[in-house]
């Protein structure tokens, strides 16, 4: 028998300090926690133990449909209606971030979906804040891993509570609320229905990130940045629909010389894509999730075929994340839903390394992009940048000091 090759050692990626900007609280509940709470409240589950339940979530999330993907959340939301359960789940989520190497994380959730058990939205926000504080304290004391967790409050596009959620977010900055989001079905429900909430957030200087360019294309993205005044795009991956691949001879004939190939392929950005790139509007890219929901176009089709003929990315290597990053967009990497997508920032980094050859300078830049796009105060950004620069400087020096055969 031929001995199998040893598994790659990715401890260095696991240990990298990270920043996560697109992390759903109800998409990251531990399976055992769901089993425990469901037994207490009498909620029927599709599987009776944590391992089988985890597998069920992964199988049902791999639907190639955002609508079907979102159906899995009925079980996580069911166990997040009591105060003590929100405290527990938020605490566990903060610990999960620490295990993932995340130094700073913005975790989003929709308070309006957690009132079925009698909690007010205000009480739900207080419970989540308490849980994050407990989890961060435990991570620091027991794991010696610092983590700062902040809340982004989501309103749902299909509901009529967005103004109340925006007001709740503004009123609870002292509890660690740093931003406002509108999630839910992009195609069916316009942001025009939530203008009052978006105006309120703007008037009170509350940063906004909006789900756009995940289940819908350029109209959704344009609406988010113009009408929604979004500083970040939740996913935004369908900005590739505004990219054309052409030749240098067609794009810039004057650049063609004897030494320059006129048939060399170049990327041409439409007005919206150029605006997103030039203003460095942050893209919260979640590759594993995008593959499950058919959010991303097939890399080799982008810009070469009409939109209606472009196939969807089916594996990591065909996702356009590397193209967007290497083209200068403000790409950040997040897990979206840790449970449904069976992922983490570490997992995404490993897949970027395996499929696109990303190395530590790329992870450093991606993390700096996340710091720049975060909703933390600028002084905290400077401090975190310093921590990252010190870490990567030491890391880079260690790589130089390795023997040549080891490096």
């Amino acid at each position: 028998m031929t001995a199998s090759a040893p598994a790659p050692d990715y401890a260095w990626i696991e240990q990298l300090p990270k920043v996560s900007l697109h992390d759903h609280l109800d998409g990251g509940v531990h399976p055992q926690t769901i089993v425990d709470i469901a037994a207490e409240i009498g909620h029927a589950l599709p599987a009776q133990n944590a391992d089988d339940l985890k597998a069920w979530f992964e199988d049902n999330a791999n639907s190639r449909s955002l609508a079907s993907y979102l159906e899995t959340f009925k079980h996580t939301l069911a166990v997040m209606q009591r105060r003590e359960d929100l405290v527990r789940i938020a605490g566990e989520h903060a610990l999960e971030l620490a295990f993932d190497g995340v130094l700073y994380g913005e975790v989003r959730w929709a308070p309006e979906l957690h009132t079925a058990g009698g909690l007010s939205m205000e009480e739900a926000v207080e419970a989540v804040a308490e849980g994050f504080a407990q989890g961060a304290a435990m991570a620091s004391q027991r794991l010696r891993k610092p983590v700062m967790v902040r809340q982004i409050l989501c309103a749902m596009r299909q509901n009529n509570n967005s103004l109340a959620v925006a007001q709740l977010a503004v009123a609870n900055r002292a509890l660690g609320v740093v931003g406002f989001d509108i999630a839910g079905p992009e195609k069916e429900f316009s942001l025009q229905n939530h203008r009052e909430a978006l105006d309120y957030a703007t008037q009170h200087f509350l940063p906004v990130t909006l789900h756009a360019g995940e289940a819908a294309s350029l109209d959704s993205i344009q609406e988010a940045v113009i009408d929604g005044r979004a500083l970040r795009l939740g996913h935004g991956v369908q900005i590739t629909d505004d990219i054309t691949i052409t030749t240098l001879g067609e794009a810039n004939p004057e650049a063609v010389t004897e030494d320059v190939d006129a048939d060399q392929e170049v990327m041409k950005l439409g007005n919206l894509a150029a605006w997103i790139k030039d203003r460095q509007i942050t893209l919260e890219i979640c590759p594993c999730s995008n593959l499950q929901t058919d959010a991303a176009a097939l890399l080799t089709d982008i810009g070469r075929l009409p939109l209606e003929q472009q196939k969807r990315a089916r594996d990591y290597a065909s996702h356009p994340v590397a193209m967007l990053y290497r083209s200068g967009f403000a790409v950040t990497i997040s897990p979206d839903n840790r449970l449904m997508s069976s992922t983490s920032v570490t997992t995404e980094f490993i897949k970027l390394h395996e499929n696109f050859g990303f190395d530590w300078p790329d992870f450093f830049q991606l993390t700096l992009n996340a710091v720049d796009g975060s909703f933390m105060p600028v002084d905290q950004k400077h401090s975190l940048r310093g921590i990252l620069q010190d870490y990567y400087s030491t890391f880079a020096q260690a790589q130089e000091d390795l023997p040549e055969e080891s490096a």
Side-chain angles (χ1 to χ4, degrees):
M1 292 180 60
T2 303
S4 58
D9 182 3
Y10 291 131
W12 66 277
I13 294 181
E14 295 171 1
Q15 294 165 8
L16 293 177
K18 306 174 183 76
V19 173
S20 180
L21 300 183
H22 195 113
D23 215 320
H24 285 270
L25 182 62
D26 54 344
V29 189
H30 291 180
Q32 186 60 56
T33 299
I34 300 173
V35 171
D36 292 346
I37 299 174
E40 293 178 10
I41 65 175
H43 176 74
L45 293 172
Q48 303 311 309
N49 63 71
D51 289 340
D52 290 345
L53 186 61
K54 182 176 186 294
W56 179 88
F57 273 104
E58 293 172 14
D59 289 343
N60 282 269
N62 286 320
S63 59
R64 307 295 180 190
S65 163
L66 180 59
S68 298
Y69 183 92
L70 294 176
E71 276 293 307
T72 62
F73 284 83
K74 65 183 179 183
H75 295 297
T76 56
L77 288 171
V79 301
M80 299 175 71
Q81 301 301 324
R82 301 183 303 182
R83 186 184 190 284
E84 61 269 28
D85 299 330
L86 279 175
V87 172
R88 172 181 175 177
I89 288 166
E92 291 174 349
H93 202 97
L95 278 172
E96 185 68 26
L97 293 181
F99 276 117
D100 196 13
V102 172
L103 298 181
Y104 175 83
E106 293 176 358
V107 178
R108 63 191 69 195
W109 63 291
E112 63 189 272
L113 302 180
H114 299 270
T115 59
L119 289 176
S120 67
M121 291 199 297
E122 176 78 32
E123 290 169 334
V125 170
E126 292 170 354
V128 169
E130 181 178 336
F132 284 160
Q134 289 181 2
M138 188 176 299
S140 177
Q141 295 165 8
R142 299 187 184 181
L143 305 178
R144 297 295 187 266
K145 289 188 173 185
V147 61
M148 180 184 294
V149 190
R150 295 293 181 256
Q151 299 184 51
I152 293 176
L153 301 191
C154 295
M156 304 306 296
R157 283 179 181 254
Q158 67 272 34
N159 297 339
N160 298 313
N161 302 311
S162 56
L163 177 58
V165 175
Q167 292 170 336
L168 184 70
V170 169
N172 284 279
R173 283 170 157 152
L175 291 181
V177 178
V178 295
F180 175 66
D181 180 21
I182 298 179
E186 284 178 61
K187 292 181 180 179
E188 297 87 349
F189 299 93
S190 170
L191 289 176
Q192 296 296 330
N193 300 333
H194 305 284
R195 178 171 293 279
E196 195 174 1
L198 293 165
D199 287 345
Y200 187 88
T202 300
Q203 291 160 4
H204 290 81
F205 305 103
L206 181 71
V208 172
T209 173
L210 296 171
H211 276 72
E214 179 190 20
S217 184
L218 301 180
D219 288 345
S220 174
I221 295 174
Q222 180 166 316
E223 186 181 53
V225 296
I226 295 178
D227 299 320
R229 288 147 290 185
L231 301 177
R232 301 191 330 227
L233 295 173
H235 298 282
V237 68
Q238 294 192 34
I239 194 62
T240 58
D241 289 353
D242 202 31
I243 292 175
T244 302
I245 305 299
T246 185
T247 64
L248 183 62
E250 292 176 347
N252 187 8
E254 295 179 358
V256 178
T257 66
E258 292 183 1
D259 299 325
V260 177
D261 184 2
D263 294 328
Q264 176 183 335
E265 286 191 336
V266 294
M267 179 183 296
K268 182 179 180 181
L269 303 183
N271 290 336
L272 180 59
W275 179 267
I276 299 296
K277 175 184 173 180
D278 293 343
R279 272 74 195 165
Q280 289 292 280
I281 295 173
T282 303
L283 301 180
E284 303 165 358
I285 304 291
C286 308
C288 282
S289 172
N290 296 160
L291 295 174
Q292 291 176 307
T293 63
D294 265 357
L298 182 68
L299 177 61
T300 52
D301 285 358
I302 292 170
R304 295 181 171 86
L305 294 176
L307 298 183
E308 64 274 12
Q309 295 180 19
Q310 292 182 16
K311 295 185 285 293
R312 311 318 290 170
R314 290 288 192 242
D315 55 61
Y316 216 97
S318 62
H319 190 287
V321 57
M323 179 189 75
L324 289 169
Y325 165 71
R326 288 168 176 159
S327 300
F329 286 86
V331 169
T332 64
I333 301 296
S334 295
D336 197 16
N337 300 294
R338 293 169 180 265
L339 171 61
M340 288 75 176
S341 298
S342 188
T343 193
S344 63
V345 184
T346 297
T347 298
E348 302 286 350
F349 277 12
I350 289 172
K351 290 182 179 293
L352 288 170
H353 176 71
E354 292 177 334
N355 289 279
F356 301 111
F358 278 39
D359 210 335
W360 68 262
D362 301 299
F363 299 134
F364 181 40
Q365 185 59 57
L366 288 168
T367 307
L368 290 180
N369 289 350
V371 173
D372 290 342
S374 73
F375 292 156
M376 71 176 77
V378 68
D379 290 344
Q380 291 182 12
K381 291 185 181 185
H382 289 323
S383 296
L384 185 50
R385 270 182 161 269
I387 292 171
L388 293 169
Q389 288 165 345
D390 288 346
Y391 180 92
Y392 275 96
S393 177
T394 301
F395 183 90
Q397 185 61 53
Q399 302 307 299
E400 293 179 3
D401 291 343
L402 286 174
E404 186 172 341
E405 61 272 16
S406 299

